[in-house]
C-alpha cells in the first residue's frame, strides 16, 4: 500500500498570523491520500470506520459553527492577547475543516457516502442555531470540551495509532494537537461576554439532543449503505473498541461531566506537557510536519 503524502509550511518570519504569537499557530497543511487504500481504514472494521467517517463528516460544518459562534462576539473583545487567540482559533478551525473535507473527498472516491454525515450534522446544528448567540457559544464550549477530551485520547491511547491505516494517522494527530492548543479560547470568550452558568448547563442537553441522534442516524445509514448493518461480528468488534467498558470513546465519557462544575476551566486539566511532546514529535523545531510521520512506526514511540 502506498502511503499518504503531505506537505506543510511554517509561516515566514514577520508574516506569522497573530495566533502564532500566543501559541495557537494555524499550520498550513496539505494532506494527500492515495486512491488505492483500504475501504475500511480503521482496523478493517466497518463499524469503527463508519464512526470515524461520521466524525470526519461532522467536523467541517461543526467547526464552522464553532467559528461563527465565537466570531459573533469578536468585536466585544479588546484585549490584544485574547484577540490574537481568537485569530489563532479561527485559523486553526478553518484549516481543520478544509483538511477533513479533503479526507471526506477521499472517502467519497472510495464509495463511502460521507455526504450523509454532513447533511445529518447540519440538521442538528440548524436546531442549535435557533437559540441565542450566548446559548450557541455555550454549546460550542461544550463541544470544544468534547473535542479536547477526544484529542487527548487520540494522543495518549496507542490503540488508535495501532489500528488505523497509516495514511490517515497524521491528520488526526495534527488536529488533536491543535484542539489542545486552542481548547480554552471559546471558553475564555464566553466568560468575558456572557458567563451564564444557566446557558452552560443547558448546553449539555441541547447539544446531546441535537447531535447524538445524528451520530446514530449517520452510522446506521452508512453501515446500511455499505451492506454491513447486519454484520454482527463486525459490529461487536467495533462496539467493543469504541463504546464498551474502557473503549476508546467510553473512556472520555466520565470526564464530560467536569464541564458542569461551577469552577470549570479547560486549563484546569493541564495538557501542556502532552502538547509539547506531540509538537516536538510532529512538527520539530521549524513547525513543519516532519517527513518521517509518513509511517505508523514513527508515531508509536
Ligand atoms: Fe478542530
Ligand atoms: Fe476546536
Amino acid at each position: 500500500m502506498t502511503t499518504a503524502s503531505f506537505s506543510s509550511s511554517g509561516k515566514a518570519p514577520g508574516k506569522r498570523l497573530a495566533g502564532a504569537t500566543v501559541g495557537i499557530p494555524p499550520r498550513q497543511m496539505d494532506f494527500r491520500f492515495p486512491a488505492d487504500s483500504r475501504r475500511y481504514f480503521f482496523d478493517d472494521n466497518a463499524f469503527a470506520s463508519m464512526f470515524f467517517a461520521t466524525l470526519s463528516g461532522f467536523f467541517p460544518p461543526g467547526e464552522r459553527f464553532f467559528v461563527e459562534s465565537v466570531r459573533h462576539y469578536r468585536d466585544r473583545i479588546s484585549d490584544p492577547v485574547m484577540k490574537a487567540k481568537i485569530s489563532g482559533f479561527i485559523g486553526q478551525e478553518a484549516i481543520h475543516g478544509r483538511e477533513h473535507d479533503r479526507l471526506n473527498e477521499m472517502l467519497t472516491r472510495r464509495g463511502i457516502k460521507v455526504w450523509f454525515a454532513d447533511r445529518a450534522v447540519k440538521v442538528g446544528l440548524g436546531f442549535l442555531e435557533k437559540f441565542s448567540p450566548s446559548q450557541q457559544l455555550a454549546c460550542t464550549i461544550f463541544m470544544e470540551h468534547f473535542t479536547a477530551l477526544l484529542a487527548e485520547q487520540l494522543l495518549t491511547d496507542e490503540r488508535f495509532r495501532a489500528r488505523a491505516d497509516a495514511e490517515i494517522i497524521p491528520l488526526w494527530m495534527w488536529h488533536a494537537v491543535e484542539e489542545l492548543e486552542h481548547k480554552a479560547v471559546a471558553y475564555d470568550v464566553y466568560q468575558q461576554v456572557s458567563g451564564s452558568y444557566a446557558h452552560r448547563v443547558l448546553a449539555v442537553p441541547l447539544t446531546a439532543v441535537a447531535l447524538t441522534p445524528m451520530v446514530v442516524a449517520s452510522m446506521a445509514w452508512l453501515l446500511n449503505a455499505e451492506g454491513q448493518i447486519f454484520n454482527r461480528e463486525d459490529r461487536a468488534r467495533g462496539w467493543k473498541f469504541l463504546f464498551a467498558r474502557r473503549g476508546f470513546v467510553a473512556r472520555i465519557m466520565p470526564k464530560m461531566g467536569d464541564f458542569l462544575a461551577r469552577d470549570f476551566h479547560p486549563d484546569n486539566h493541564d495538557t501542556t506537557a502532552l502538547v509539547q511532546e506531540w509538537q516536538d514529535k510532529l512538527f520539530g523545531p521549524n513547525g513543519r510536519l516532519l517527513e518521517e510521520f509518513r509511517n505508523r512506526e514513527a508515531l508509536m514511540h
Side-chain angles (χ1 to χ4, degrees):
M1 187 191 302
T2 51
T3 54
S5 67
F6 36 71
S7 64
S8 67
S9 59
K11 294 282 163 194
K15 279 189 154 187
R16 281 150 60 107
L17 291 174
T21 62
V22 288
I24 307 176
R27 301 175 179 87
Q28 287 299 338
M29 312 303 281
D30 183 14
F31 292 97
R32 305 279 168 192
F33 305 97
D36 62 344
S37 42
R38 280 194 303 186
R39 188 178 190 91
Y40 300 134
F41 52 88
F42 191 86
D43 206 19
D44 217 8
N45 178 261
F47 185 89
S49 296
M50 292 310 112
F51 172 75
F52 288 109
T54 291
L55 271 187
S56 189
F58 275 30
F59 277 133
E63 294 182 308
R64 271 194 294 279
F65 177 91
F66 301 167
V67 164
E68 290 311 316
S69 63
V70 169
R71 206 199 302 270
H72 178 84
Y73 288 109
R74 193 181 197 176
D75 293 343
R76 303 251 299 262
I77 305 291
S78 52
D79 172 34
V81 171
M82 196 63 225
K83 279 172 108 65
K85 288 182 177 179
I86 293 171
S87 290
F89 167 80
I90 291 175
Q92 287 190 339
E93 294 292 35
I95 301 171
H96 298 171
R98 189 187 72 203
E99 294 304 318
H100 275 278
D101 275 337
R102 244 189 264 271
L103 174 62
N104 297 338
E105 282 163 20
M106 181 274 279
L107 296 176
T108 301
R109 280 198 301 276
R110 270 187 219 176
I112 296 172
K113 299 179 176 62
V114 195
W115 62 263
F116 189 88
D118 176 85
R119 300 263 175 94
V121 75
K122 283 176 178 164
V123 171
L125 295 171
F127 167 72
L128 296 180
E129 283 166 357
K130 296 186 192 313
F131 292 87
S132 68
S134 165
Q135 188 62 67
Q136 289 186 50
L137 186 55
C139 293
T140 287
I141 63 174
F142 181 53
M143 290 185 268
E144 281 283 276
H145 177 53
F146 173 75
T147 54
L149 291 174
L150 182 65
E152 188 178 4
Q153 179 70 3
L154 280 163
L155 297 179
T156 55
D157 189 332
E158 290 196 349
R159 290 179 297 171
F160 179 86
R161 276 165 276 148
R163 297 183 193 202
D165 283 2
E167 70 214 23
I168 67 158
I169 295 174
L171 178 143
W172 291 85
M173 297 297 115
W174 154 78
H175 192 169
V177 168
E178 294 197 349
E179 284 305 317
L180 292 180
E181 287 173 340
H182 73 228
K183 68 178 180 176
V185 175
Y187 189 85
D188 287 339
V189 171
Y190 182 73
Q191 288 303 94
Q192 283 194 32
V193 299
S194 165
S196 161
Y197 182 65
H199 282 178
R200 179 145 65 93
V201 171
L202 193 55
V204 176
L206 284 180
T207 308
V209 164
L211 296 185
T212 313
M214 297 305 154
V215 175
V216 175
S218 176
M219 285 187 68
W221 193 91
L222 283 166
L223 284 167
N224 188 49
E226 293 293 309
Q228 297 287 343
I229 197 158
F230 298 115
N231 184 341
R232 289 172 64 177
E233 188 275 329
D234 181 276
R235 183 171 64 239
R237 196 156 63 84
W239 180 273
K240 184 163 182 277
F241 176 77
L242 292 170
F243 303 120
R245 208 167 75 84
R246 297 180 40 183
F248 196 80
V249 178
R251 282 195 170 184
I252 295 172
M253 290 305 155
K255 299 178 205 154
M256 290 294 285
D258 296 352
F259 181 78
L260 290 172
R262 276 205 176 261
D263 63 350
F264 170 79
H265 188 281
D267 289 340
N268 289 351
H269 179 57
D270 187 2
T271 47
T272 317
L274 182 66
V275 170
Q276 182 69 56
E277 177 197 338
W278 277 92
Q279 284 170 339
D280 293 347
K281 263 189 193 179
L282 286 176
F283 309 119
N286 65 3
R288 291 162 191 265
L289 189 62
L290 296 173
E291 287 298 308
E292 61 261 36
F293 285 99
R294 287 168 183 243
N295 62 66
R296 179 201 312 276
E297 287 66 33
L299 285 159
M300 293 301 288
H301 303 295

